[in-house]
Amino acid sequence: MDDIDSAIVRELQRDARQTNRDLARTLRIAPSTCLERVRALRARGVITGYRATVDLRALNRPVQALLTVRIRPMNREVIERFKAFLTGLPEVLSVYVVAGGDDFLVHVAVPDVDRLHALLMDQVFKRREVVDCRSSVIYQHVTNGVVEPLPPAAS
């Protein structure tokens, strides 16, 4: 990734709907060069897709929470099966398999705390492999819309 590739990635994260011509103008490069670079970034897997960001409140999901879950027995099959279960739930936004005291970190969005309680009681706690689950309601959620490459670690 050179400076132009980094600038393309940054600008597309800022606004993926802009035209190739507008992107090229912003970066002060030829439209043909810009298109070639974007295609190469997609081919290399740097750009993995484009998506719309939605307002969770508009989708009747104003209450967000993070769930920490511990499962047993701890093996690959149980982890994969539980991960598939979680990603199949409509309330789930993201699933992270993590190291440390917990095995999963799960980001959910629901209409209200009653639905959060129902999700925990009727879905999560009914799973035999779940030995512990804690929930933390999110008061505010901010994401960094533009991810920049980091320099390699100094050795």
Side-chain angles (χ1 to χ4, degrees), residues 17-124:
R17 292 185 51 126
Q18 63 186 299
T19 65
N20 182 66
R21 187 175 309 277
D22 289 341
L23 180 58
R25 185 179 312 113
T26 299
L27 301 176
R28 296 187 174 116
I29 59 176
S32 58
T33 300
C34 186
L35 185 58
E36 182 180 313
R37 294 270 192 145
V38 170
R39 285 180 177 158
L41 287 165
R42 288 195 339 235
R44 290 185 356 233
V46 175
I47 297 174
T48 59
Y50 303 90
R51 65 186 186 109
T53 303
V54 297
D55 180 358
L56 291 172
R57 290 182 183 281
L59 299 178
N60 192 31
R61 297 169 73 151
V63 175
Q64 295 180 63
L66 292 175
L67 313 178
T68 57
V69 184
R70 286 190 310 129
I71 61 171
R72 295 294 177 268
M74 180 55 70
N75 63 52
R76 187 176 304 277
E77 181 182 321
V78 173
I79 290 170
E80 291 303 318
R81 194 170 51 241
F82 190 67
K83 186 170 59 171
F85 161 74
L86 289 171
T87 58
L89 296 173
E91 298 88 352
V92 173
L93 301 177
S94 301
V95 175
Y96 303 90
V97 180
V98 297
D102 298 305
D103 303 314
F104 287 86
L105 181 62
V106 186
H107 183 192
V108 300
V110 293
D112 51 44
V113 292
D114 289 335
R115 182 73 173 265
L116 176 61
H117 185 252
L119 171 67
L120 294 172
M121 299 305 293
D122 301 335
Q123 299 285 333
V124 177

